[in-house]
Amino acid sequence: MYSYKVKQTEAKSYFFSLIKRDITKVYNFKTYNKALIFALSEQIEQFVCIVSDEVETSRKTFKNHYTLKQFQKHCIKNPMHFLNTQKCRLNEEQIENYYFYLIGSNKLTKLKKH
């Protein structure tokens, strides 16, 4: 059975931004779909699929799915496909909320690149 590992690096600063440190958190998932949803929601470029103790492969998150910026651009150009309307009346913040709604509700088909 495969397992998936997603690494997230966060920059933290201490003592009035004099000391800066990168903190890496590792999340483990049992299914590809859960790892993909987490990587899309956190905008992580790639994650690792662990086949066995010796074999690990890399999965690219945005190979088949849109990033947030790409989704905003395509949503404005082609609102009929993404929003089911003829004109896009949403601002960037509303489109961003819709992007994360699609991820959270597991409707990834609208986020796939064609």
Side-chain angles (χ1 to χ4, degrees):
M1 190 73 170
Y2 299 143
S3 64
Y4 298 90
K5 180 169 54 174
V6 181
K7 289 183 182 180
Q8 182 181 27
T9 304
E10 183 179 351
K12 289 219 175 191
S13 59
Y14 301 99
F15 299 112
F16 305 107
S17 300
L18 295 175
I19 300 172
K20 294 182 181 177
R21 213 180 247 178
D22 288 336
I23 298 174
T24 303
K25 294 181 182 178
V26 178
Y27 299 96
N28 293 316
F29 298 97
K30 291 186 179 184
T31 63
Y32 173 77
N33 196 24
K34 289 182 181 180
L36 179 65
I37 287 172
F38 181 77
L40 281 171
S41 65
E42 295 294 324
Q43 297 291 302
I44 298 172
E45 297 269 333
Q46 63 183 0
F47 55 96
V48 176
C49 172
I50 302 169
V51 178
S52 67
D53 292 335
E54 300 171 354
V55 180
E56 291 184 356
T57 61
S58 174
R59 308 291 172 138
K60 295 187 179 180
T61 307
F62 301 116
K63 182 179 180 183
N64 297 325
H65 296 84
Y66 289 120
T67 63
L68 178 60
K69 290 182 182 181
Q70 291 172 342
F71 180 76
Q72 287 174 340
K73 184 176 86 173
H74 289 290
C75 189
I76 291 171
K77 286 185 178 180
N78 189 7
M80 188 60 130
H81 174 69
F82 296 104
L83 303 173
N84 297 329
T85 61
Q86 291 186 358
K87 292 184 180 179
C88 181
R89 296 186 178 123
L90 301 176
N91 60 15
E92 289 185 12
E93 183 179 338
Q94 291 170 334
I95 293 173
E96 180 180 343
N97 289 339
Y98 183 64
Y99 177 80
F100 290 115
Y101 164 76
L102 290 174
I103 293 171
S105 62
N106 200 10
K107 297 180 181 178
L108 302 178
T109 56
K110 289 199 177 198
L111 299 178
K112 282 198 171 204
K113 293 180 181 178
H114 291 89

